[in-house]
Amino acid sequence: MSTSVTSIPCPDVVSLDAILPEEPLLMMGAGPVPIPAAVAKANTIVINHLGATMAKVIGQVKEMARYVFQTRSKWVLGVAGPGSAAMEMAISNLAWSGTRVLSIKNGFFSARMAEMAQRCGADVAVLEVPDGAVASLDDVSAALARERPEIVTIVQGETSNTVWNHQLKDIAALAKAAGALVVVDAVCTLSTMPLEMDAWGIDAVITGGQKGLSSIPGVSLIAFSDAAWQRVKTRERVGAHWCLDASLAENFWHNAGYHYTAPVSGVLALHEALRLVCAETLEKRFARHLKCSLALQAGISALGLALYAPEPCRLNSVVGIQMPDGFSPNDVCGHISRHHQVEISGSFGLPIVRIGQMGEQCREHNLFRTLHALGRTMVDLGVGVDLPAGVAALEQSLSGSARAR
Ligand SMILES: *Cc1c(COP(=O)(O)O)cnc(C)c1O
């Protein structure tokens, strides 16, 4: 009599070929974004995570990251995990029971930093900023005086409602003058617009792979200033997070030792993404992002659709488009994906769809395909948009023949 060694039956599944579309969809949402061929190739390679090759890779990743963060700080580390893991490394290493934290909340992602700080036991004050606005310097000054925070958290670009904290530099200066360490979420904005960690006095910057950097999701970067690192190293009690303990991560990222097995393929992919940023230079990359985003915005406006964020605080890295009354973002995202093989995003209950302008998304051919697909989708769904006018405005803006606004 044969006895079965497995009591749970093997599932009946299909291969990825049967699941994935024959041609990949064009990823024009709020991330992940398309990756360059060099990044994709690097992501197929597995090497020894503690060997000499990896050591060389790690050294270059840190060096290139310092350029992208615009810092001379030694304390750059990679993080196995999403942008939120880098965020949690920043918060959980700098805040603990009783730490006074001021979180400037513009929306969904900046709220996450406040929540993480609360979970660490910190004493968190939230400065609520209305949707579609940025924190005023007066409000920040008043909150700093009232709360006397040891840590201030702020997002550079609030991806959820497409608001850009364009006064980040001034807010960081105010926080610094009040004696606080400044933690900045630059997940969607890093390498798409200026951010000068050292010159602006920022103490921790976090980013993910899958947005501005055009790498894969799941490997992220963080930089601490000397002052922030000092706080990390002199805290009295160790934190609850073992994987995200920056001192343990130092073993791997600075001392060629073991912490956990690094996601080697993802680190190689990140290396290539950073190398392409360096090859392009930040100046040219910022200019490409600005040009493409403004052209896309001009095209969307000429279609007859409204941009969600008011112009002074409109984020260029992710463009929010107001849906006409009665049209659900989900229907639009579903239609454009099924019929045009273009992926765009809704946004956590807001009446908008979002088109990303991060990394490889900012290519002229991607803009034409996406604007056309959006215009056709709206027409198919019964919204009267002027598709030829939209495409013409996109072309005029890209070729520099648009009339000055
Ligand atoms: C995407 C995003 C995050 C979260 O990144 P994950 O990789 O999804 O964890 C945090 N902040 C901002 C501003 C983002 O755009």
Side-chain angles (χ1 to χ4, degrees), residues 69 82-88 90-91 104 106-114 116 152-160 163-165 168 182-195 200 202-208 210-212 220-223 315 317 358:
F69 285 125
S84 301
M87 188 188 276
E88 200 144 42
I91 303 289
I104 300 173
N106 288 87
F108 188 78
F109 289 111
S110 35
R112 189 172 290 177
M113 289 191 280
M116 286 177 177
V152 171
T153 70
I154 183 170
V155 66
Q156 185 177 31
E158 176 53 72
T159 322
S160 61
V163 161
W164 170 39
N165 266 321
L168 174 59
V182 183
V183 176
V184 174
D185 172 351
V187 175
C188 102
T189 48
L190 195 76
S191 88
T192 75
M193 63 170 67
L195 178 124
W200 298 0
I202 298 169
D203 295 288
V205 181
I206 58 155
T207 199
Q210 77 279 19
K211 300 202 182 167
S220 302
L221 282 170
I222 186 167
L315 181 60
S317 323
M358 298 177 280

Tab-separated table of all heavy atoms in Angstrom, residues 69 82-88 90-91 104 106-114 116 152-160 163-165 168 182-195 200 202-208 210-212 220-223 315 317 358:
chain	number	residue	atom	x	y	z
A	69	PHE	N	22.010	62.388	-4.518
A	69	PHE	CA	21.482	63.066	-3.329
A	69	PHE	C	22.128	64.443	-3.126
A	69	PHE	O	21.693	65.210	-2.292
A	69	PHE	CB	21.772	62.242	-2.062
A	69	PHE	CG	20.921	61.014	-1.865
A	69	PHE	CD1	21.503	59.757	-1.676
A	69	PHE	CD2	19.539	61.097	-1.819
A	69	PHE	CE1	20.731	58.619	-1.456
A	69	PHE	CE2	18.750	59.962	-1.600
A	69	PHE	CZ	19.358	58.730	-1.418
A	82	PRO	N	10.799	48.253	-0.372
A	82	PRO	CA	10.216	49.371	-1.113
A	82	PRO	C	10.673	50.707	-0.552
A	82	PRO	O	11.355	50.756	0.477
A	82	PRO	CB	8.714	49.170	-0.885
A	82	PRO	CG	8.627	48.482	0.433
A	82	PRO	CD	9.831	47.583	0.495
A	83	GLY	N	10.272	51.787	-1.190
A	83	GLY	CA	10.559	53.114	-0.666
A	83	GLY	C	10.103	53.238	0.779
A	83	GLY	O	10.763	53.881	1.596
A	84	SER	N	9.004	52.582	1.096
A	84	SER	CA	8.487	52.643	2.469
A	84	SER	C	9.443	51.997	3.468
A	84	SER	O	9.452	52.371	4.649
A	84	SER	CB	7.127	51.951	2.566
A	84	SER	OG	6.215	52.568	1.701
A	85	ALA	N	10.240	51.040	3.039
A	85	ALA	CA	11.219	50.431	3.943
A	85	ALA	C	12.339	51.430	4.242
A	85	ALA	O	12.821	51.527	5.380
A	85	ALA	CB	11.788	49.144	3.346
A	86	ALA	N	12.755	52.183	3.220
A	86	ALA	CA	13.763	53.223	3.457
A	86	ALA	C	13.186	54.287	4.394
A	86	ALA	O	13.867	54.789	5.293
A	86	ALA	CB	14.200	53.852	2.137
A	87	MET	N	11.901	54.610	4.170
A	87	MET	CA	11.215	55.566	5.038
A	87	MET	C	11.225	55.053	6.473
A	87	MET	O	11.536	55.782	7.418
A	87	MET	CB	9.769	55.709	4.545
A	87	MET	CG	8.956	56.777	5.199
A	87	MET	SD	7.209	56.675	4.676
A	87	MET	CE	7.195	57.557	3.160
A	88	GLU	N	10.926	53.774	6.637
A	88	GLU	CA	10.863	53.190	7.975
A	88	GLU	C	12.261	53.115	8.600
A	88	GLU	O	12.408	53.246	9.813
A	88	GLU	CB	10.218	51.797	7.923
A	88	GLU	CG	9.680	51.341	9.264
A	88	GLU	CD	8.391	50.527	9.135
A	88	GLU	OE1	8.309	49.677	8.218
A	88	GLU	OE2	7.475	50.742	9.936
A	90	ALA	N	14.595	55.374	8.085
A	90	ALA	CA	14.848	56.746	8.552
A	90	ALA	C	14.112	57.000	9.860
A	90	ALA	O	14.702	57.427	10.858
A	90	ALA	CB	14.410	57.760	7.490
A	91	ILE	N	12.819	56.725	9.856
A	91	ILE	CA	11.998	57.081	11.019
A	91	ILE	C	12.374	56.229	12.235
A	91	ILE	O	12.564	56.743	13.339
A	91	ILE	CB	10.492	56.889	10.693
A	91	ILE	CG1	10.087	57.726	9.478
A	91	ILE	CG2	9.630	57.192	11.929
A	91	ILE	CD1	10.033	59.198	9.673
A	104	ILE	N	4.853	67.173	8.498
A	104	ILE	CA	4.099	68.062	7.608
A	104	ILE	C	3.366	67.168	6.621
A	104	ILE	O	3.984	66.455	5.834
A	104	ILE	CB	5.050	69.048	6.901
A	104	ILE	CG1	5.769	69.894	7.971
A	104	ILE	CG2	4.280	69.922	5.909
A	104	ILE	CD1	6.861	70.780	7.434
A	106	ASN	N	0.908	66.510	3.603
A	106	ASN	CA	0.248	67.005	2.396
A	106	ASN	C	-0.697	65.986	1.790
A	106	ASN	O	-1.415	66.296	0.847
A	106	ASN	CB	1.294	67.357	1.318
A	106	ASN	CG	2.063	68.600	1.654
A	106	ASN	OD1	3.071	68.542	2.341
A	106	ASN	ND2	1.586	69.731	1.176
A	107	GLY	N	-0.645	64.773	2.287
A	107	GLY	CA	-1.472	63.739	1.668
A	107	GLY	C	-1.037	62.365	2.134
A	107	GLY	O	-0.416	62.201	3.196
A	108	PHE	N	-1.339	61.381	1.306
A	108	PHE	CA	-1.224	59.966	1.619
A	108	PHE	C	0.189	59.531	2.044
A	108	PHE	O	0.355	58.811	3.021
A	108	PHE	CB	-1.646	59.212	0.357
A	108	PHE	CG	-1.790	57.739	0.491
A	108	PHE	CD1	-2.909	57.192	1.091
A	108	PHE	CD2	-0.821	56.882	-0.013
A	108	PHE	CE1	-3.062	55.820	1.184
A	108	PHE	CE2	-0.967	55.510	0.082
A	108	PHE	CZ	-2.083	54.985	0.683
A	109	PHE	N	1.213	59.959	1.314
A	109	PHE	CA	2.563	59.467	1.598
A	109	PHE	C	3.218	60.207	2.763
A	109	PHE	O	3.905	59.595	3.587
A	109	PHE	CB	3.448	59.519	0.351
A	109	PHE	CG	3.047	58.498	-0.664
A	109	PHE	CD1	2.475	58.875	-1.873
A	109	PHE	CD2	3.198	57.141	-0.407
A	109	PHE	CE1	2.071	57.926	-2.802
A	109	PHE	CE2	2.796	56.180	-1.332
A	109	PHE	CZ	2.237	56.572	-2.529
A	110	SER	N	2.987	61.518	2.829
A	110	SER	CA	3.559	62.246	3.966
A	110	SER	C	2.867	61.827	5.261
A	110	SER	O	3.482	61.867	6.327
A	110	SER	CB	3.488	63.757	3.743
A	110	SER	OG	2.327	64.135	3.047
A	111	ALA	N	1.612	61.372	5.168
A	111	ALA	CA	0.916	60.852	6.363
A	111	ALA	C	1.572	59.561	6.848
A	111	ALA	O	1.565	59.253	8.043
A	111	ALA	CB	-0.554	60.593	6.032
A	112	ARG	N	2.149	58.815	5.912
A	112	ARG	CA	2.775	57.536	6.279
A	112	ARG	C	3.951	57.755	7.232
A	112	ARG	O	4.186	56.964	8.144
A	112	ARG	CB	3.231	56.827	4.998
A	112	ARG	CG	3.683	55.414	5.209
A	112	ARG	CD	3.942	54.701	3.882
A	112	ARG	NE	2.700	54.438	3.159
A	112	ARG	CZ	2.633	53.875	1.941
A	112	ARG	NH1	3.741	53.549	1.311
A	112	ARG	NH2	1.472	53.672	1.368
A	113	MET	N	4.699	58.829	7.028
A	113	MET	CA	5.842	59.101	7.920
A	113	MET	C	5.351	59.379	9.331
A	113	MET	O	5.959	58.938	10.312
A	113	MET	CB	6.682	60.258	7.383
A	113	MET	CG	7.454	59.853	6.139
A	113	MET	SD	8.706	61.041	5.619
A	113	MET	CE	7.710	62.258	4.781
A	114	ALA	N	4.227	60.110	9.437
A	114	ALA	CA	3.654	60.379	10.768
A	114	ALA	C	3.223	59.069	11.411
A	114	ALA	O	3.477	58.835	12.602
A	114	ALA	CB	2.474	61.339	10.639
A	116	MET	N	4.346	56.045	10.876
A	116	MET	CA	5.516	55.255	11.278
A	116	MET	C	6.113	55.802	12.579
A	116	MET	O	6.519	55.040	13.460
A	116	MET	CB	6.570	55.272	10.172
A	116	MET	CG	6.198	54.407	8.972
A	116	MET	SD	7.456	54.563	7.702
A	116	MET	CE	6.824	53.396	6.483
A	152	VAL	N	11.697	66.689	11.984
A	152	VAL	CA	10.622	67.168	11.105
A	152	VAL	C	10.588	66.274	9.871
A	152	VAL	O	11.637	65.987	9.285
A	152	VAL	CB	10.858	68.641	10.681
A	152	VAL	CG1	9.866	69.062	9.595
A	152	VAL	CG2	10.750	69.562	11.891
A	153	THR	N	9.397	65.792	9.505
A	153	THR	CA	9.287	64.987	8.283
A	153	THR	C	8.485	65.759	7.245
A	153	THR	O	7.509	66.442	7.575
A	153	THR	CB	8.596	63.625	8.531
A	153	THR	OG1	7.204	63.840	8.821
A	153	THR	CG2	9.245	62.872	9.673
A	154	ILE	N	8.916	65.621	5.981
A	154	ILE	CA	8.240	66.332	4.887
A	154	ILE	C	8.490	65.582	3.590
A	154	ILE	O	9.534	64.930	3.430
A	154	ILE	CB	8.734	67.807	4.805
A	154	ILE	CG1	7.971	68.576	3.717
A	154	ILE	CG2	10.238	67.887	4.605
A	154	ILE	CD1	8.236	70.094	3.749
A	155	VAL	N	7.537	65.664	2.680
A	155	VAL	CA	7.695	65.029	1.374
A	155	VAL	C	8.032	66.115	0.352
A	155	VAL	O	7.506	67.229	0.429
A	155	VAL	CB	6.399	64.267	0.990
A	155	VAL	CG1	5.221	65.211	0.759
A	155	VAL	CG2	6.609	63.385	-0.231
A	156	GLN	N	8.936	65.820	-0.588
A	156	GLN	CA	9.237	66.817	-1.621
A	156	GLN	C	8.118	66.882	-2.650
A	156	GLN	O	7.660	67.963	-3.004
A	156	GLN	CB	10.572	66.513	-2.329
A	156	GLN	CG	10.930	67.635	-3.323
A	156	GLN	CD	12.272	67.445	-4.000
A	156	GLN	OE1	12.711	66.313	-4.212
A	156	GLN	NE2	12.929	68.540	-4.337
A	157	GLY	N	7.709	65.722	-3.131
A	157	GLY	CA	6.589	65.661	-4.074
A	157	GLY	C	5.567	64.688	-3.528
A	157	GLY	O	5.886	63.511	-3.334
A	158	GLU	N	4.356	65.176	-3.258
A	158	GLU	CA	3.316	64.296	-2.708
A	158	GLU	C	2.606	63.641	-3.907
A	158	GLU	O	1.691	64.210	-4.505
A	158	GLU	CB	2.366	65.100	-1.825
A	158	GLU	CG	1.184	64.352	-1.258
A	158	GLU	CD	1.520	63.063	-0.515
A	158	GLU	OE1	2.067	63.127	0.586
A	158	GLU	OE2	1.216	61.976	-1.058
A	159	THR	N	3.053	62.445	-4.214
A	159	THR	CA	2.603	61.720	-5.402
A	159	THR	C	1.089	61.528	-5.431
A	159	THR	O	0.500	61.446	-6.502
A	159	THR	CB	3.280	60.340	-5.425
A	159	THR	OG1	4.616	60.498	-4.969
A	159	THR	CG2	3.301	59.744	-6.808
A	160	SER	N	0.452	61.448	-4.262
A	160	SER	CA	-0.977	61.105	-4.229
A	160	SER	C	-1.852	62.217	-4.801
A	160	SER	O	-2.738	61.942	-5.596
A	160	SER	CB	-1.395	60.775	-2.797
A	160	SER	OG	-1.204	61.887	-1.948
A	163	VAL	N	1.034	67.319	-5.506
A	163	VAL	CA	1.473	68.627	-4.991
A	163	VAL	C	2.981	68.614	-4.746
A	163	VAL	O	3.530	67.643	-4.217
A	163	VAL	CB	0.718	68.980	-3.689
A	163	VAL	CG1	1.449	70.045	-2.891
A	163	VAL	CG2	-0.700	69.446	-4.026
A	164	TRP	N	3.618	69.688	-5.133
A	164	TRP	CA	5.069	69.847	-4.987
A	164	TRP	C	5.340	70.843	-3.861
A	164	TRP	O	4.908	71.991	-3.921
A	164	TRP	CB	5.642	70.371	-6.313
A	164	TRP	CG	7.070	70.803	-6.261
A	164	TRP	CD1	8.099	70.220	-5.589
A	164	TRP	CD2	7.634	71.943	-6.947
A	164	TRP	NE1	9.275	70.916	-5.810
A	164	TRP	CE2	9.014	71.969	-6.635
A	164	TRP	CE3	7.118	72.927	-7.788
A	164	TRP	CZ2	9.869	72.960	-7.136
A	164	TRP	CZ3	7.964	73.900	-8.288
A	164	TRP	CH2	9.337	73.914	-7.961
A	165	ASN	N	6.077	70.397	-2.845
A	165	ASN	CA	6.488	71.294	-1.760
A	165	ASN	C	7.658	72.143	-2.241
A	165	ASN	O	8.812	71.881	-1.920
A	165	ASN	CB	6.868	70.487	-0.520
A	165	ASN	CG	5.705	70.345	0.438
A	165	ASN	OD1	4.923	71.290	0.634
A	165	ASN	ND2	5.565	69.178	1.028
A	168	LEU	N	10.553	73.569	-0.016
A	168	LEU	CA	11.289	72.608	0.812
A	168	LEU	C	12.577	73.192	1.387
A	168	LEU	O	12.880	73.031	2.567
A	168	LEU	CB	11.591	71.346	-0.023
A	168	LEU	CG	12.468	70.298	0.645
A	168	LEU	CD1	11.846	69.802	1.936
A	168	LEU	CD2	12.713	69.122	-0.308
A	182	VAL	N	15.915	67.065	9.767
A	182	VAL	CA	14.907	67.102	8.707
A	182	VAL	C	14.968	65.821	7.873
A	182	VAL	O	16.018	65.486	7.326
A	182	VAL	CB	15.144	68.324	7.787
A	182	VAL	CG1	14.059	68.406	6.719
A	182	VAL	CG2	15.194	69.602	8.607
A	183	VAL	N	13.844	65.112	7.821
A	183	VAL	CA	13.742	63.880	7.036
A	183	VAL	C	12.875	64.170	5.810
A	183	VAL	O	11.734	64.623	5.953
A	183	VAL	CB	13.099	62.743	7.860
A	183	VAL	CG1	12.918	61.491	7.001
A	183	VAL	CG2	13.925	62.436	9.106
A	184	VAL	N	13.425	63.913	4.632
A	184	VAL	CA	12.697	64.227	3.393
A	184	VAL	C	12.412	62.953	2.596
A	184	VAL	O	13.316	62.162	2.302
A	184	VAL	CB	13.500	65.218	2.518
A	184	VAL	CG1	12.821	65.422	1.175
A	184	VAL	CG2	13.655	66.555	3.240
A	185	ASP	N	11.150	62.773	2.246
A	185	ASP	CA	10.736	61.719	1.334
A	185	ASP	C	10.902	62.248	-0.093
A	185	ASP	O	10.176	63.157	-0.507
A	185	ASP	CB	9.270	61.358	1.620
A	185	ASP	CG	8.670	60.406	0.586
A	185	ASP	OD1	9.314	60.146	-0.450
A	185	ASP	OD2	7.539	59.927	0.818
A	186	ALA	N	11.884	61.694	-0.803
A	186	ALA	CA	12.108	62.086	-2.195
A	186	ALA	C	11.888	60.877	-3.104
A	186	ALA	O	12.549	60.734	-4.130
A	186	ALA	CB	13.516	62.655	-2.364
A	187	VAL	N	10.945	60.008	-2.721
A	187	VAL	CA	10.761	58.765	-3.478
A	187	VAL	C	10.399	59.055	-4.931
A	187	VAL	O	10.964	58.468	-5.844
A	187	VAL	CB	9.691	57.852	-2.836
A	187	VAL	CG1	9.440	56.633	-3.710
A	187	VAL	CG2	10.133	57.400	-1.440
A	188	CYS	N	9.467	59.967	-5.144
A	188	CYS	CA	9.066	60.182	-6.542
A	188	CYS	C	9.906	61.237	-7.230
A	188	CYS	O	9.958	61.282	-8.445
A	188	CYS	CB	7.568	60.462	-6.634
A	188	CYS	SG	7.078	62.151	-6.850
A	189	THR	N	10.571	62.091	-6.459
A	189	THR	CA	11.216	63.249	-7.091
A	189	THR	C	12.715	63.098	-7.345
A	189	THR	O	13.260	63.809	-8.190
A	189	THR	CB	11.001	64.501	-6.214
A	189	THR	OG1	11.320	64.178	-4.849
A	189	THR	CG2	9.575	64.988	-6.311
A	190	LEU	N	13.396	62.204	-6.631
A	190	LEU	CA	14.850	62.183	-6.738
A	190	LEU	C	15.302	61.925	-8.175
A	190	LEU	O	14.842	60.990	-8.818
A	190	LEU	CB	15.464	61.122	-5.820
A	190	LEU	CG	16.976	61.336	-5.628
A	190	LEU	CD1	17.248	62.484	-4.666
A	190	LEU	CD2	17.664	60.075	-5.150
A	191	SER	N	16.159	62.760	-8.633
A	191	SER	CA	16.741	62.776	-9.986
A	191	SER	C	15.771	63.313	-11.028
A	191	SER	O	16.092	63.361	-12.211
A	191	SER	CB	17.313	61.412	-10.417
A	191	SER	OG	16.332	60.596	-11.038
A	192	THR	N	14.570	63.781	-10.611
A	192	THR	CA	13.670	64.428	-11.574
A	192	THR	C	13.673	65.948	-11.423
A	192	THR	O	13.218	66.656	-12.305
A	192	THR	CB	12.207	63.946	-11.432
A	192	THR	OG1	11.612	64.541	-10.272
A	192	THR	CG2	12.112	62.425	-11.331
A	193	MET	N	14.149	66.437	-10.268
A	193	MET	CA	14.181	67.885	-9.992
A	193	MET	C	15.243	68.133	-8.929
A	193	MET	O	15.661	67.203	-8.244
A	193	MET	CB	12.814	68.359	-9.484
A	193	MET	CG	12.403	67.729	-8.178
A	193	MET	SD	10.942	68.510	-7.476
A	193	MET	CE	9.703	68.035	-8.667
A	194	PRO	N	15.703	69.392	-8.791
A	194	PRO	CA	16.777	69.644	-7.833
A	194	PRO	C	16.412	69.251	-6.399
A	194	PRO	O	15.293	69.483	-5.954
A	194	PRO	CB	16.989	71.159	-7.948
A	194	PRO	CG	16.541	71.495	-9.335
A	194	PRO	CD	15.377	70.578	-9.593
A	195	LEU	N	17.356	68.615	-5.738
A	195	LEU	CA	17.283	68.373	-4.299
A	195	LEU	C	18.732	68.331	-3.833
A	195	LEU	O	19.517	67.504	-4.292
A	195	LEU	CB	16.589	67.054	-3.957
A	195	LEU	CG	16.563	66.804	-2.441
A	195	LEU	CD1	15.136	66.592	-1.945
A	195	LEU	CD2	17.376	65.610	-2.042
A	200	TRP	N	20.929	72.263	1.399
A	200	TRP	CA	19.651	72.630	2.026
A	200	TRP	C	19.578	72.172	3.487
A	200	TRP	O	18.563	72.357	4.152
A	200	TRP	CB	18.471	72.025	1.248
A	200	TRP	CG	18.365	72.514	-0.168
A	200	TRP	CD1	19.182	73.404	-0.808
A	200	TRP	CD2	17.370	72.130	-1.141
A	200	TRP	NE1	18.770	73.589	-2.114
A	200	TRP	CE2	17.663	72.826	-2.334
A	200	TRP	CE3	16.271	71.265	-1.117
A	200	TRP	CZ2	16.886	72.674	-3.491
A	200	TRP	CZ3	15.505	71.117	-2.268
A	200	TRP	CH2	15.815	71.820	-3.439
A	202	ILE	N	19.532	69.069	4.814
A	202	ILE	CA	18.633	67.936	5.065
A	202	ILE	C	19.414	66.810	5.748
A	202	ILE	O	20.569	66.544	5.413
A	202	ILE	CB	18.015	67.458	3.733
A	202	ILE	CG1	17.169	68.590	3.127
A	202	ILE	CG2	17.158	66.210	3.949
A	202	ILE	CD1	16.739	68.337	1.710
A	203	ASP	N	18.762	66.137	6.710
A	203	ASP	CA	19.459	65.130	7.526
A	203	ASP	C	19.194	63.692	7.126
A	203	ASP	O	19.963	62.799	7.498
A	203	ASP	CB	19.096	65.321	9.000
A	203	ASP	CG	19.622	66.652	9.496
A	203	ASP	OD1	20.847	66.758	9.656
A	203	ASP	OD2	18.826	67.593	9.664
A	204	ALA	N	18.108	63.425	6.440
A	204	ALA	CA	17.886	62.089	5.897
A	204	ALA	C	17.034	62.229	4.653
A	204	ALA	O	16.034	62.950	4.651
A	204	ALA	CB	17.203	61.179	6.912
A	205	VAL	N	17.483	61.588	3.580
A	205	VAL	CA	16.704	61.570	2.333
A	205	VAL	C	16.455	60.115	1.981
A	205	VAL	O	17.362	59.282	2.067
A	205	VAL	CB	17.455	62.253	1.160
A	205	VAL	CG1	16.593	62.238	-0.092
A	205	VAL	CG2	17.845	63.675	1.506
A	206	ILE	N	15.213	59.825	1.610
A	206	ILE	CA	14.893	58.455	1.208
A	206	ILE	C	14.369	58.443	-0.220
A	206	ILE	O	13.758	59.399	-0.684
A	206	ILE	CB	13.821	57.845	2.134
A	206	ILE	CG1	12.552	58.693	2.117
A	206	ILE	CG2	14.348	57.723	3.538
A	206	ILE	CD1	11.326	57.921	2.474
A	207	THR	N	14.645	57.329	-0.897
A	207	THR	CA	14.066	57.166	-2.231
A	207	THR	C	13.851	55.695	-2.524
A	207	THR	O	14.442	54.831	-1.877
A	207	THR	CB	14.937	57.839	-3.312
A	207	THR	OG1	14.141	58.035	-4.482
A	207	THR	CG2	16.141	57.000	-3.665
A	208	GLY	N	12.978	55.414	-3.473
A	208	GLY	CA	12.758	54.040	-3.920
A	208	GLY	C	13.463	53.832	-5.247
A	208	GLY	O	14.081	54.755	-5.781
A	210	GLN	N	11.866	52.458	-8.079
A	210	GLN	CA	10.965	52.322	-9.219
A	210	GLN	C	10.336	53.602	-9.723
A	210	GLN	O	9.413	53.577	-10.504
A	210	GLN	CB	9.848	51.339	-8.848
A	210	GLN	CG	8.739	51.891	-7.946
A	210	GLN	CD	9.066	51.933	-6.452
A	210	GLN	OE1	10.220	51.882	-6.063
A	210	GLN	NE2	8.048	52.037	-5.611
A	211	LYS	N	10.866	54.743	-9.263
A	211	LYS	CA	10.262	56.007	-9.700
A	211	LYS	C	11.279	56.817	-10.489
A	211	LYS	O	11.684	56.404	-11.548
A	211	LYS	CB	9.650	56.710	-8.505
A	211	LYS	CG	8.563	55.811	-7.879
A	211	LYS	CD	7.536	56.523	-7.059
A	211	LYS	CE	6.563	55.514	-6.463
A	211	LYS	NZ	5.736	56.094	-5.413
A	212	GLY	N	11.726	57.958	-9.915
A	212	GLY	CA	12.636	58.804	-10.680
A	212	GLY	C	13.866	58.079	-11.199
A	212	GLY	O	14.370	58.370	-12.274
A	220	SER	N	15.990	50.117	-2.381
A	220	SER	CA	15.849	51.549	-2.140
A	220	SER	C	17.138	52.134	-1.584
A	220	SER	O	18.069	51.396	-1.256
A	220	SER	CB	14.696	51.782	-1.160
A	220	SER	OG	13.502	51.229	-1.678
A	221	LEU	N	17.177	53.440	-1.471
A	221	LEU	CA	18.378	54.133	-0.992
A	221	LEU	C	18.018	55.123	0.097
A	221	LEU	O	16.930	55.708	0.086
A	221	LEU	CB	19.030	54.918	-2.132
A	221	LEU	CG	19.865	54.158	-3.148
A	221	LEU	CD1	20.204	55.091	-4.314
A	221	LEU	CD2	21.148	53.607	-2.521
A	222	ILE	N	18.966	55.313	1.010
A	222	ILE	CA	18.796	56.303	2.071
A	222	ILE	C	20.142	56.967	2.328
A	222	ILE	O	21.192	56.326	2.183
A	222	ILE	CB	18.261	55.634	3.362
A	222	ILE	CG1	17.937	56.656	4.439
A	222	ILE	CG2	19.219	54.577	3.903
A	222	ILE	CD1	17.124	56.087	5.591
A	223	ALA	N	20.106	58.241	2.671
A	223	ALA	CA	21.319	58.948	3.090
A	223	ALA	C	21.035	59.672	4.388
A	223	ALA	O	19.986	60.315	4.529
A	223	ALA	CB	21.752	59.948	2.015
A	315	LEU	N	3.216	69.429	-9.085
A	315	LEU	CA	4.349	68.511	-9.200
A	315	LEU	C	4.541	68.143	-10.669
A	315	LEU	O	3.586	67.798	-11.354
A	315	LEU	CB	4.035	67.262	-8.372
A	315	LEU	CG	5.063	66.142	-8.288
A	315	LEU	CD1	6.370	66.649	-7.690
A	315	LEU	CD2	4.514	65.008	-7.431
A	317	SER	N	6.716	65.659	-11.598
A	317	SER	CA	7.092	64.243	-11.676
A	317	SER	C	5.886	63.319	-11.864
A	317	SER	O	6.028	62.224	-12.384
A	317	SER	CB	7.831	63.824	-10.419
A	317	SER	OG	8.663	64.852	-9.963
A	358	MET	N	8.543	60.266	-14.697
A	358	MET	CA	9.719	59.892	-13.908
A	358	MET	C	10.609	58.994	-14.763
A	358	MET	O	10.155	57.980	-15.311
A	358	MET	CB	9.271	59.145	-12.643
A	358	MET	CG	8.389	59.986	-11.717
A	358	MET	SD	7.778	59.096	-10.278
A	358	MET	CE	6.408	58.170	-10.956
